[in-house]
Amino acid sequence: MTHSSNLIGVVARSLSDKRTTMSRTDVSVILKLAWATNLVIASCLMTGVRAELYTCLADMEELMETEGLLMRTLDGYIQAQEEKLHILKRHAADYAREHEEASQDIQGYLSNPINAYLLVKRLTTDWKEVETQMVDDVGKVFVQNITKFRDILKFPSDEDLNGAAVALTRLQDTYKLDTASVARGELNGVQYSTELSAGDCFELGRQSYNNGDFYHTVLWMNEALQRYEEEYNKTTAKSDILEYLAFSTYKQGNVHRALKLTNELLEIVPTHQRALGNKVYYLQDIEKAAKEGQKRGDDGTGSVLSDQVSVAHSTNNIPERDLYEMHCRLEQVMSPATASKLKCRYTDRGNPFLRLARVKEEVAYLKPLILIYHDVIYDAEIETIKKLSIPRFKRATVQNSKTGELETANYRISKSAWLRDEFHPHVSAVNRRVEDITGLTISTAEELQVVNYGIGGHYEPHFDFARKEEGNAFKSLGTGNRIATFLFYMSDVSQGGATVFPQINVALRPEKGAAAFWYNLHPSGEGDMDTRHAACPVLTGSKWVSNKWLHERGQEFRRPCGLTFDAD
């Protein structure tokens, strides 16, 4: 109860201070947070949910509430400053009026004892009041309140800023988005937001620079420079843009352009120490290259290539990373011959219960068999699962293949929570539905995992099952390997967010209420390498999924073993 008590104290002190302007709405919001969500707040503080906000859009929704309160606090501060200035202007006008009158006939003015008294008063009591107004920091109370709010409301960190910037550049690469278009607020030709300022672009470039990503630094600093020239009210300094742009250009191998940009910077700030030092270094580099008869490129420019992630598999000689991104853009599709064999049907899967309510089954691929079931999770269940998950969210982890320990990774950006049957009848109903549809037991399955993807949220190509070299995986569960995956889609996604299987040219678009199902293992128990899949970055929208991982133990008579390696 400590945090809620502190916050109530903040509200009470704020209301008693005449310089603090808090509306009834603000008070209601804060008191509600203090009392109604006291247990959730305590849980968040213990589990670290307030960190890494960029990894989960559900967490970021609360930032709007934070911003709203900060805006009202800022308005209150501005109003207090305006009142202070109004008082000082009134004093200044009084002084000016009396001083002008006295200056016309100083002796005549001072010979009047009333005027003499008022002059002394203005320079003592009145001036002390002016000094008090001048030194009074009206913003102190507002800053103190904001500091207290940080104990309760969500505030993004520098890590969130960096994560959001990296996510934007990831989307830029995956979906081949033009830098200028993104800066205009366009994503794949659709106008979603207002334009970025030169300062906004500069910060994107700066974050890329801090990550050692000079490719994106150059892209965004060039855009910042162009927008700087077009801006009437400048949002950043040209010298700062040129400094980052010049060095990043050099790091990409274009020393001649780096020198040109540095000279341009020195025209603006002739004493810029780093620029002066870099210029000497660039000139030495150019002289050395000239002596050796070498240049970085035909015209002294270097080629620019985005870093590629090393992968183990490829199809048609296309690196897996490129293939994965092609599927995300829906550029790679299966052949018409394969697609012609895929069917849709109503089925009861041999389950007596489903004979009363058959499900809509769509075959998305034949080998491995990937099935889509439509309308198998309902809006009320989805909302319940979301509400149960949000206070339990933690950064999604992956299993270290060597140690078996769970750890966070940049290739999986999302937050997840685990729900048990006893949490709510809706959770139990959803789990039971998985058993009815698949015919597999859920007695040895993992709890229902719920995932919400953050800004550009994704999960790069991976296997759900543990391979032979991952001997420690799932060892603590004692239920064997993950035999199958049942993935519920709990939201539609405007753009991006597909589940793709790069090796077999399959891309599944998220559809609210639907679910995907596939076996990760052959009946022999060997892993099916063609089930390697990925969650594409979410371009626009919020992606919610929940999945049930079914394990080998208990399936002996429900899915008998095969006699060959890849028997189906």
Side-chain angles (χ1 to χ4, degrees), residues 186-452:
E186 293 180 11
L187 299 176
N188 275 343
V190 181
Q191 187 76 38
Y192 283 100
S193 60
T194 56
E195 295 193 10
L196 301 183
S197 66
D200 296 331
C201 295
F202 170 79
E203 186 58 35
L204 270 168
R206 192 177 74 88
Q207 293 294 329
S208 297
Y209 179 88
N210 291 341
N211 295 328
D213 179 1
F214 302 112
Y215 170 66
H216 287 106
T217 303
V218 170
L219 287 181
W220 284 104
M221 288 301 174
N222 274 323
E223 187 65 28
L225 190 61
Q226 181 175 336
R227 288 181 172 269
Y228 172 88
E229 302 296 347
E230 299 170 354
E231 281 184 346
Y232 179 75
N233 295 316
K234 306 300 184 184
T235 56
T236 189
K238 185 176 182 179
S239 57
D240 289 341
I241 299 174
L242 289 171
E243 181 182 2
Y244 280 93
L245 181 56
F247 187 72
S248 298
T249 300
Y250 168 76
K251 292 294 287 185
Q252 284 202 292
N254 193 340
V255 65
H256 291 277
R257 176 164 164 75
L259 178 62
K260 179 177 180 296
L261 292 166
T262 301
N263 286 332
E264 190 176 347
L265 168 56
L266 289 171
E267 289 177 7
I268 301 172
V269 188
T271 59
H272 198 293
Q273 292 301 310
R274 282 189 299 275
L276 290 170
N278 287 343
K279 180 176 180 179
V280 173
Y281 187 78
Y282 298 157
L283 288 171
Q284 290 174 347
D285 199 26
I286 291 173
E287 182 180 358
K288 180 180 178 182
K291 288 180 179 179
E292 296 175 353
Q294 298 174 347
K295 286 188 177 181
R296 289 180 172 83
D298 294 339
D299 59 351
T301 63
S303 61
V304 176
L305 293 175
S306 179
D307 291 339
Q308 292 283 346
V309 177
S310 177
V311 294
H313 300 276
S314 63
T315 299
N316 298 327
N317 296 320
I318 301 175
E320 185 187 50
R321 178 56 183 255
D322 293 341
L323 195 62
Y324 152 62
E325 293 183 349
M326 291 170 66
H327 279 90
C328 290
R329 297 190 296 269
L330 304 180
E331 293 176 357
Q332 194 83 358
V333 296
M334 68 177 65
S335 67
T338 301
S340 66
K341 300 175 184 178
L342 308 181
K343 308 294 181 182
C344 296
R345 55 181 172 257
Y346 281 98
T347 181
D348 57 25
R349 300 284 292 176
N351 184 291
F353 174 76
L354 291 184
R355 290 176 184 173
L356 302 175
R358 291 184 297 172
V359 292
K360 305 171 189 174
E361 183 182 81
E362 174 187 351
V363 179
Y365 204 74
L366 287 171
K367 190 175 181 180
L369 182 63
I370 301 175
L371 302 172
I372 304 295
Y373 294 100
H374 297 272
D375 303 320
V376 290
I377 186 169
Y378 311 116
D379 288 348
E381 294 170 336
I382 289 172
E383 292 308 310
T384 297
I385 289 171
K386 285 182 179 180
K387 289 178 182 178
L388 291 171
S389 301
I390 290 174
R392 296 177 170 85
F393 269 148
K394 293 182 180 180
R395 172 77 181 268
T397 57
V398 297
Q399 194 164 48
N400 186 299
S401 60
K402 295 182 179 179
T403 66
E405 297 295 323
L406 296 177
E407 58 189 22
T408 61
N410 290 330
Y411 59 83
R412 188 181 189 187
I413 302 299
S414 62
K415 280 188 176 177
S416 62
W418 299 86
L419 303 182
R420 297 195 296 270
D421 278 359
E422 56 265 30
F423 286 174
H424 196 281
H426 282 162
V427 179
S428 177
V430 168
N431 284 332
R432 178 67 186 180
R433 199 168 300 133
V434 173
E435 184 167 279
D436 289 338
I437 293 174
T438 64
L440 301 174
T441 181
I442 61 170
S443 61
T444 57
E446 296 174 47
E447 296 171 358
L448 186 70
Q449 186 193 48
V450 184
V451 179
N452 180 227

Side-chain angles (χ1 to χ4, degrees), residues 101-112 115:
E101 181 180 341
S103 298
Q104 294 177 6
D105 182 4
I106 296 176
Q107 289 187 350
Y109 180 85
L110 294 177
S111 64
N112 185 324
N115 288 343

